[in-house]
Amino acid sequence: MRIPETIRSKMRSPLIAILLAALTLSLMPGPSRAAVFNPQTATLDNGMQVVLVENHRAPVVTHMVWYKVGSADEPVGVSGIAHFLEHLMFKGTDKIAPGDFSKIVARNGGNDNAFTSWDYTGYFQNIARDRLDLVMEMEADRMTNLTLSDDVVLPERDVIIEERRSRLDNNPGALLGEQMRASLYMAHPYGRSIIGWLNEMEQLTTEDALEFYKNWYAPNNAILVVAGDITMDELLPMAEKYYGVIPRGKDITRNRVKEPVQHAPRKVTMRDPRVGQASWSRYYLAPSYNTDQDGDAAPLDVLSEIIGSGTTSRFFKALVVDQQIASSVGTFYNPVAVDMATFGVYAVPRGDNELADVEKAIEAEIAKVVADGVTQDELDRAKQRLLDSAVFARDSLSAGARVLGQSLAVGLTVDQVESWPDRISAVTVDQVNDAAKRVFDDKKSVTGWLMPPEGGPVTGAGAALPITSGEGVH
């Protein structure tokens, strides 16, 4: 059973998570003066992009293939088909029997898995350097030779339905997060559940999966990212041997419904007997790096670090330390997306405090940010923490592959990733303050209240915060 990406992301090193959230990329072209991962790139004749991050500290590699397709690209009425196909990619080809892919990787000392988000689907293996050609051959094989029949598809449909029940339907916080996104995005497919709506999942067919596979899985819609103990002179011939022989697919255009102008704040209230501790959250529509017309994406990354990242943040000091009204509080913002992004705030009340008290206190702190802005000292410390995170992330074998793959899959460039230190260093107090005024617009927000049943027994354990990262399911 695959672990939801939103849960899996919390298992990662905090430094990697910080970097993923803090890639304050600019859409302005130009050479970078500082670098993050120093990748090398090439493009095969069939259009497949190849990216390498060298790391010779150990004789191992991370091999990833990212497809530029996710749940936001699904046809109406077949929600969950992107994630379903991710599962079905392990069901075999003429060369590899169903279920044998991961067994072969494991027998060779490696591990593998996959993940689906709104904008991309990825497959990866971590394995010894001398086994790279093995996993590359298998990954290339299933890019074009996947075989599906009702005998394997329909039982796997039951698996993803059970995954939804166990990971979402049995998790009040996940359910609330799903409902909040559906309210935040009134028309755009980012409001669609990645794993799928149950009534549509139950109707998915072998033909649906094959059609989606045929339309989206092609080398010119994929990115190969390898990190580890290998050079480009060694990698490129292997990539050409296994991936380069696959014919180029049709040219692909992502057609997304545009989000209309929003005129009123929304609120989602959910009571559930499994909730042991009430929680509060609010989502705001925010620009991504691809939709950043006002230059707010980088400043919003810094703003999130200032007001809601960790125990030294402004909101934590105000609500947890000084007022003692909350036991935890934080913010999140991940603008690596094809279209829009979400800026979120969340908190758990302390003791007998009510959600209304927490909401009032947070709104007061937001009002202070909008009215008075942040200070130069707050800005300097936040920027330094973000820059430090990039330095430490270089020690990770997979961090560069994940950051570059995610960024390229949504349409950003290698230079935009590599120039991050320069972009973040250039953020000013005025830019952060202007971005805060634009993002904290109640008309573009959804507030979530998660509570135990009114007057009923509490059977849950701890707070069930709504999904915050929204990165995907796995």
Side-chain angles (χ1 to χ4, degrees):
M1 183 175 296
R2 306 274 192 276
I3 301 172
E5 175 69 12
T6 48
I7 296 173
R8 181 173 62 84
S9 65
K10 297 176 184 177
M11 301 177 185
R12 299 183 185 131
S13 162
L15 292 171
I16 299 174
I18 289 171
L19 181 62
L20 286 171
L23 276 174
T24 46
L25 313 175
S26 168
L27 296 182
M28 296 298 293
S32 59
R33 297 182 301 277
V36 182
F37 299 112
N38 296 298
Q40 302 169 58
T41 64
T43 303
L44 304 182
D45 291 341
N46 59 12
M48 188 174 189
Q49 189 172 6
V50 180
V51 181
L52 170 65
V53 180
E54 290 192 38
N55 185 333
H56 300 287
R57 298 183 183 185
V60 294
V61 293
T62 292
H63 171 267
M64 307 188 78
V65 172
W66 298 71
Y67 291 96
K68 291 180 278 188
V69 60
S71 65
D73 301 299
E74 297 166 341
V76 175
V78 290
S79 64
I81 191 63
H83 171 247
F84 190 24
L85 180 58
E86 175 217 310
H87 277 240
L88 295 175
M89 286 288 283
F90 292 86
K91 294 304 177 182
T93 65
D94 291 337
K95 295 180 180 180
I96 301 174
D100 278 2
F101 190 105
S102 296
K103 293 177 183 177
I104 294 171
V105 174
R107 283 201 300 267
N108 284 272
N111 62 76
D112 75 307
N113 222 315
F115 48 88
T116 303
S117 187
W118 288 279
D119 290 324
Y120 48 79
T121 308
Y123 303 83
F124 69 90
Q125 301 86 35
N126 299 309
I127 202 158
R129 161 65 181 86
D130 61 2
R131 298 293 192 276
L132 175 59
D133 58 339
L134 170 67
V135 297
M136 191 177 289
E137 181 179 11
M138 293 195 302
E139 194 68 75
D141 179 39
R142 67 177 176 179
M143 176 183 285
T144 189
N145 296 318
L146 183 66
T147 58
L148 297 178
S149 65
D150 287 352
D151 291 343
V152 296
V153 170
L154 299 185
E156 193 65 27
R157 186 176 66 186
D158 293 335
V159 171
I160 63 167
I161 289 173
E162 177 57 31
E163 181 179 347
R164 179 184 168 89
R165 287 170 176 159
S166 64
R167 299 295 183 178
L168 273 84
D169 297 343
N170 286 337
N171 184 334
L175 279 177
L176 179 62
E178 185 180 64
Q179 294 296 306
M180 289 177 65
R181 284 193 66 94
S183 297
L184 182 65
Y185 295 99
M186 299 188 302
H188 193 279
Y190 283 164
R192 180 183 303 154
S193 174
I194 295 175
I195 199 168
W197 304 117
L198 180 58
N199 62 308
E200 295 181 355
M201 295 170 68
E202 292 173 334
Q203 305 301 317
L204 296 177
T205 66
T206 301
E207 290 71 25
D208 292 331
L210 287 172
E211 182 69 15
F212 198 78
Y213 176 70
K214 176 182 177 182
N215 287 338
W216 294 98
Y217 279 53
N220 50 301
N221 198 46
I223 305 159
L224 170 65
V225 186
V226 176
D229 188 26
I230 190 170
T231 66
M232 184 61 89
D233 287 342
E234 297 168 318
L235 174 62
L236 196 54
M238 296 173 62
E240 291 173 339
K241 177 181 178 180
Y242 295 116
Y243 294 110
V245 296
I246 301 174
R248 179 186 181 93
K250 65 181 180 180
D251 292 334
I252 297 173
T253 301
R254 285 174 154 173
N255 296 313
R256 301 279 183 84
V257 175
K258 300 299 182 182
E259 185 67 16
V261 176
Q262 299 188 359
H263 300 284
R266 282 130 285 159
K267 181 178 180 180
V268 179
T269 301
M270 180 175 172
R271 291 185 180 272
D272 193 291
R274 296 166 295 183
V275 176
Q277 170 63 61
S279 63
W280 180 95
S281 56
R282 179 171 292 168
Y283 297 173
Y284 294 90
L285 277 183
S288 71
Y289 299 136
N290 278 314
T291 62
D292 185 17
Q293 297 181 349
D294 297 310
D296 286 344
L300 286 177
D301 248 330
V302 178
L303 175 67
S304 182
E305 179 72 20
I306 292 171
I307 66 176
S309 180
T311 57
T312 61
S313 67
R314 182 190 285 201
F315 283 10
F316 190 94
K317 184 176 185 301
L319 273 71
V320 178
V321 178
D322 296 340
Q323 301 177 41
Q324 298 186 9
I325 197 172
S327 61
S328 64
V329 63
T331 60
F332 65 89
Y333 174 59
N334 182 10
V336 183
V338 171
D339 296 311
M340 295 163 290
T342 304
F343 192 102
V345 187
Y346 58 91
V348 175
R350 179 176 179 178
D352 295 331
N353 290 297
E354 302 290 339
L355 289 183
D357 301 322
V358 171
E359 181 172 279
K360 182 178 179 181
I362 290 180
E363 288 179 341
E365 291 301 317
I366 290 175
K368 289 180 184 178
V369 173
V370 172
D372 304 328
V374 302
T375 67
Q376 185 66 47
D377 180 62
E378 288 178 317
L379 178 77
D380 292 340
R381 287 187 284 113
K383 292 201 296 186
Q384 190 59 56
R385 288 194 298 271
L386 295 175
L387 292 171
D388 289 346
S389 74
V391 175
F392 288 114
R394 296 179 186 131
D395 291 333
S396 168
L397 175 66
S398 61
R402 289 187 177 277
V403 171
L404 286 161
Q406 181 184 14
S407 300
L408 296 174
V410 303
L412 302 174
T413 67
V414 169
D415 184 68
Q416 287 174 299
V417 176
E418 287 299 279
S419 61
W420 172 70
D422 297 331
R423 314 295 187 191
I424 197 70
S425 296
V427 173
T428 67
V429 167
D430 287 342
Q431 288 175 328
V432 173
N433 293 339
D434 289 343
K437 293 174 182 177
R438 280 188 281 266
V439 78
F440 289 130
D441 182 351
D442 286 346
K443 296 190 299 296
K444 301 176 182 178
S445 74
V446 176
T447 301
W449 283 29
L450 185 61
M451 299 174 288
E454 189 169 7
V458 175
T459 61
L465 284 174
I467 294 175
T468 55
S469 68
E471 203 173 309
V473 292
H474 173 59

